[in-house]
């Protein structure tokens, strides 16, 4: 099924890129994973304001620092491990749905997992837009715009 279909656009594929169910599933799984990474990136933008591991600078400058570059390589290898291991698509019930391995739904009293998946997809889309916006701002203006708490006066 092509759910969750989210208002106000409904099923949105104006270019017809997901012509088959298999391609749609592949794109949906990628969208969910990218959304999760973007949500973590937004959390990291906040956390980097107060603590930077091993003294690496915050923001895009962290990628240019030798310590930050090594951390980026380590993160890439960790993501590759997740992609080929526990988060491999073969283990998913449906695209991007790996169940609730930590039973957070039970802990937080979630009754409808489809509703939670729809919220995750929506929040992931928002986080992807916010992350790319932060990166573009920092690249264009050269200031550390990815330090969100500083922008908010915290």
């Amino acid at each position: 099924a092509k759910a969750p279909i989210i208002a106000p656009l409904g099923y949105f594929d104006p270019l017809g890129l997901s012509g088959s169910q298999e391609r749609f599933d592949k794109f949906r799984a990628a969208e969910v994973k990218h959304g999760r990474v973007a949500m973590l990136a937004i959390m990291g933008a906040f956390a980097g304001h107060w603590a930077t591991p091993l003294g690496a600078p915050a923001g895009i400058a962290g990628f240019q620092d030798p310590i930050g570059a090594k951390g980026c390589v380590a993160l890439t290898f960790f993501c590759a491990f997740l992609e080929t291991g526990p988060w491999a698509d073969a283990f998913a019930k449906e695209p991007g749905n790996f169940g609730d391995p930590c039973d957070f739904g039970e802990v937080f009293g979630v009754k409808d997992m489809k509703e939670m998946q729809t919220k995750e997809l929506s929040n992931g889309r928002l986080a992807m837009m916010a992350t790319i916006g932060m990166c573009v701002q920092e690249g264009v203006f050269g200031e550390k715009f990815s330090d969100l708490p500083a922008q908010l006066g915290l």
Side-chain angles (χ1 to χ4, degrees), residues 42-124:
I42 294 296
M43 288 175 47
F46 275 94
H49 175 76
W50 290 286
T52 54
L54 304 173
I60 293 176
F63 292 102
Q64 298 166 346
D65 184 74
I67 293 174
K70 289 174 186 170
C72 188
V73 169
L75 184 63
T76 301
F77 279 115
F78 180 68
C79 290
F81 163 74
L82 290 175
E83 283 290 322
T84 58
W87 286 358
D89 289 334
F91 300 118
K93 298 172 189 164
E94 55 191 27
N97 181 6
F98 298 96
D100 189 6
C102 298
D103 289 326
F104 284 134
E106 186 176 317
V107 171
F108 294 110
V110 175
K111 305 272 190 274
D112 184 12
M113 283 306 285
K114 280 290 183 196
E115 180 183 346
M116 289 304 295
Q117 290 170 344
T118 302
K119 289 178 180 180
E120 178 186 27
L121 193 59
S122 296
N123 289 330

Side-chain angles (χ1 to χ4, degrees), residues 30-47:
E31 180 182 22
V32 169
K33 288 178 186 178
H34 284 97
R36 290 173 180 163
V37 169
M39 287 186 276
L40 288 172
I42 294 296
M43 288 175 47
F46 275 94

